[in-house]
């Protein structure tokens, strides 16, 4: 007596092709958008990489020009006025001219501000005593196409070499 009668054949499955097509469509709908997004992002990233390289070069130039101006003498460093500056070649040396500048779609600016220190000599953002021998320099290069972006750097300049200063605190000073 037979209780179970199974007939199983790999080649005799009705609807197998339909299931394979549905699985293939499901996988394609998940993987295809991810692959296309990666391709588009890599193409856009190449243009942004070039812009970031040029802007970083302009930024480094602004930093070095500012240091060069300081080397000429502390009085050559512009006062903290709240308005931006930009590098300008004057003869065989550099100077800082008022206003931001635009170079081939890149806007470069150098902002100079005073530095204040607390009683232990640490730089503070508010309060404190003015340090006449230190300036905060923020250099920024920005662009607007294809996407608005910018690179910036912050550093401090201080008097050096023969540009020393001191605050007179006693009558003997």
């Amino acid at each position: 007596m037979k209780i179970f009668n199974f007939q199983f054949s790999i080649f005799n499955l009705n609807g197998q092709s339909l299931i394979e097509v549905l699985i293939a469509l499901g996988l394609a709908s998940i993987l295809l958008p991810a692959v296309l997004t990666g391709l588009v992002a890599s193409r856009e990233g190449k243009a942004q990489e070039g812009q970031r390289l040029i802007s970083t070069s302009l930024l480094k130039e602004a930093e070095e020009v500012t240091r060069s101006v300081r080397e000429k003498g502390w009085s050559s460093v512009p006062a903290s006025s709240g308005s931006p500056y930009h590098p300008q070649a004057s003869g065989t040396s550099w100077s800082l001219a008022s206003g931001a500048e635009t170079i081939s779609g890149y806007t470069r600016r150098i902002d100079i501000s005073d530095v204040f220190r607390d009683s232990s000599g640490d730089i503070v953002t508010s309060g404190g005593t003015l340090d006449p021998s230190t300036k905060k320099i923020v250099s920024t290069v920005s662009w607007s196409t294809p996407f608005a972006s910018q690179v910036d750097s912050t550093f401090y300049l201080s008097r050096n070499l023969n540009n020393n200063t001191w605050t007179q605190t006693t009558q003997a000073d």
Side-chain angles (χ1 to χ4, degrees), residues 23-43:
I23 290 174
L25 285 174
L27 288 174
S29 68
I30 293 171
L31 297 177
L32 194 59
V35 170
L36 289 176
T37 301
L39 289 174
V40 169
S42 68
R43 286 186 56 117

Side-chain angles (χ1 to χ4, degrees), residues 133 159-166:
S133 297
R159 294 180 190 231
N160 69 346
L161 303 174
N162 295 326
N163 294 325
N164 293 331
T165 187
W166 66 92

